[in-house]
Amino acid sequence: MIRTYPDEELSDLARLPKRVTNPGARWSEKPAVHPVHKQRTYRARGTTADGETFRFLVYQRQNLHDRLNYSCGIIYIAPGGAQLTLARYNGSNHQHGDIRFQTHIHRATEAAITDGRKPEHAAEETARYQTLDGALACLIEDFSLSGIRADPDHPSLFNGHQS
């Protein structure tokens, strides 16, 4: 059972600096009836200024038959082991409500939890990434994650140029 998390607390979890503790996580195939995915999962920890520690999982999942079918996400592991998906960065292989075959980001909200939906039910279309690696780069930026790297899909035109 997921407890209700106020939006402010969800924002605090997103902003908390986190460091991946297993940067060498390996890909493994996850066979299912259909389709087959490869996946890797990183573990991360965040520590507040007063020493409180928080645990997270960061995953990447890619369909082996459809390059547009991917997901990258971050999960908060609460004390006691309950898991809360804070965000999912999805590929463009499907529709989600009014979002038609575009990359989109799901984020946990207090309203979704209160309504008994998946915490990360809400989604917004985005043009920030077009690949799984680009999705991970956005997640790293949005969730203050260090210890792993990913290349953004659309690097700034000004990167590396000084005036």
Side-chain angles (χ1 to χ4, degrees), residues 60 75 109:
Q60 289 182 284
I75 299 166
T109 64

Side-chain angles (χ1 to χ4, degrees), residues 8-142:
E8 183 177 329
E9 187 174 355
L10 294 169
S11 292
D12 289 347
L13 287 169
R15 285 191 303 267
L16 178 70
K18 301 161 206 63
R19 180 142 190 95
V20 168
T21 60
N22 64 330
R26 298 186 185 272
W27 288 101
S28 63
E29 285 193 16
K30 299 293 182 184
V33 175
H34 183 66
V36 176
H37 288 82
K38 67 177 183 175
Q39 180 173 322
R40 70 175 158 188
T41 304
Y42 298 102
R43 292 181 306 276
R45 290 193 181 276
T47 306
T48 63
D50 62 358
E52 188 176 2
T53 300
F54 294 82
R55 296 184 310 145
F56 301 87
L57 298 174
V58 174
Y59 68 87
Q60 289 182 284
R61 184 178 307 128
Q62 174 69 62
N63 181 297
L64 297 177
H65 305 293
D66 179 356
R67 68 178 184 81
L68 301 178
N69 183 351
Y70 59 84
S71 185
C72 176
I74 184 163
I75 299 166
Y76 166 58
I77 304 171
Q83 295 186 4
L84 171 68
T85 299
L86 296 174
R88 283 186 290 127
Y89 294 63
N90 284 356
S92 59
N93 71 309
H94 64 281
Q95 287 184 219
H96 180 79
D98 292 336
I99 301 171
R100 300 182 55 79
F101 302 99
Q102 297 294 319
T103 53
H104 53 281
I105 301 172
H106 293 261
R107 288 192 180 262
T109 64
E110 179 180 2
I113 296 169
T114 301
D115 290 346
R117 296 176 178 244
K118 277 186 163 182
E120 76 282 9
H121 174 76
E124 290 186 14
E125 187 174 320
T126 185
R128 293 176 57 207
Y129 62 88
Q130 295 299 316
T131 66
L132 180 59
D133 206 44
L136 180 61
C138 290
L139 185 146
I140 288 168
E141 179 182 337
D142 295 348

